[in-house]
């Protein structure tokens, strides 16, 4: 991390000095714990602010403040912990099946002062208790049809889905349209010219008559 990284992030997302300090703590925790487990791709470690923090932060304006988020496959905390840092009104449920990554998420949430608004669930998404969330997200986890299938029990017609995708976004949308009906927009990513954010609503499974 350099001062330029922080300055660029602050300018892009209009965050306070206190928020930058929290993100710097998060960065230090990621670097420390990366030696124990694979939280992020090793090649991206020098680019945490531009690759991971900014990639997560760009979702917040699409959802608006004060939402109840479900982050499936939270891993190192992207985008969930970044959203919790940036939005003091948001409430996050981070689902992660690997116990040691859950321990990192719990330690990080406590260190970042967001533990009262972040719930870490060490389970597969299918085992999470049924509830409805305002926003469902997942980053670098699975193809769109699988994400819809996993998330649908936790959504209603008003739930907003924010799913960062790479250059295969259109292909995944075509695959998903064979199993699900949904309204969507493709939002260009601010961090990767080849990437898109799938912003979907009213996701429902296509009923098939025999």
């Amino acid at each position: 991390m350099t001062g330029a990284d922080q300055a660029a992030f602050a300018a892009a997302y209009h965050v306070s000095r206190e928020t930058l300090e929290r993100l710097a703590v998060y960065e230090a925790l990621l670097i420390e714990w990366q030696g124990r487990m694979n939280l992020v791709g090793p090649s991206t470690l020098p680019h945490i602010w531009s690759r991971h923090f900014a990639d997560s932060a760009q979702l917040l304006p699409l959802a608006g403040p004060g939402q109840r988020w479900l982050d499936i496959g939270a891993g190192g905390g992207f985008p969930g912990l970044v959203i919790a840092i940036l939005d003091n009104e948001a409430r996050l449920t981070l689902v992660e099946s690997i116990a040691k990554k859950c321990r990192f998420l719990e330690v990080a949430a406590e260190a970042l002062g967001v533990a009262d608004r972040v719930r870490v669930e060490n389970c597969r998404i299918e085992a999470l208790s049924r509830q409805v969330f305002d926003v469902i997200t997942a980053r670098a986890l699975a193809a769109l049809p699988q994400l819809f299938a996993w998330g649908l029990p936790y959504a209603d017609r008003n739930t907003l889905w924010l799913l960062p995708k790479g250059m295969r976004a259109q292909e995944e949308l075509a695959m998903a349209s064979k199993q699900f009906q949904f309204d969507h927009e493709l939002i260009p990513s601010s961090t990767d010219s080849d990437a898109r954010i799938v912003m979907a609503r009213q996701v429902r499974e296509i009923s098939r008559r025999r």
Side-chain angles (χ1 to χ4, degrees), residues 79-102:
L81 283 182
V82 175
I83 298 298
I85 293 169
L86 296 179
D87 179 6
N88 291 328
E89 299 176 1
R91 304 192 73 83
L92 288 292
T93 296
L94 311 185
V95 176
E96 173 55 53
S97 63
I98 300 175
K100 61 184 180 180
K101 291 186 178 181
C102 287

Side-chain angles (χ1 to χ4, degrees), residues 13-106:
Y13 298 101
H14 311 290
V15 298
S16 66
R17 178 175 296 179
E18 179 186 1
T19 298
L20 287 178
E21 289 172 353
R22 283 185 175 185
L23 288 167
V25 170
Y26 187 13
E27 179 190 30
L29 285 168
L30 283 164
I31 293 170
E32 176 189 349
W33 283 66
Q34 180 74 9
R36 311 179 204 176
M37 65 191 76
N38 188 37
L39 292 169
V40 298
S43 65
T44 70
L45 205 57
H47 313 291
I48 288 173
W49 287 78
S50 58
R51 180 67 180 272
H52 299 294
F53 289 174
D55 199 47
S56 300
Q58 67 178 328
L59 302 183
L60 185 55
L62 300 176
Q67 306 294 333
R68 292 170 297 123
W69 291 69
L70 172 62
D71 184 354
I72 305 173
F78 305 114
L81 283 182
V82 175
I83 298 298
I85 293 169
L86 296 179
D87 179 6
N88 291 328
E89 299 176 1
R91 304 192 73 83
L92 288 292
T93 296
L94 311 185
V95 176
E96 173 55 53
S97 63
I98 300 175
K100 61 184 180 180
K101 291 186 178 181
C102 287
R103 180 58 184 154
F104 166 77
L105 293 170
E106 290 168 347

Side-chain angles (χ1 to χ4, degrees), residues 148 152 157 161 176-184 200-208:
F148 281 163
L152 205 51
R157 293 174 68 86
W161 302 67
S177 67
K178 296 176 182 178
Q179 299 173 243
F180 302 93
Q181 293 179 325
F182 51 92
D183 299 333
H184 78 278
R201 287 190 187 273
Q202 299 192 27
V203 177
R204 61 266 191 209
E205 195 168 8
I206 295 175
S207 59
R208 302 187 183 278

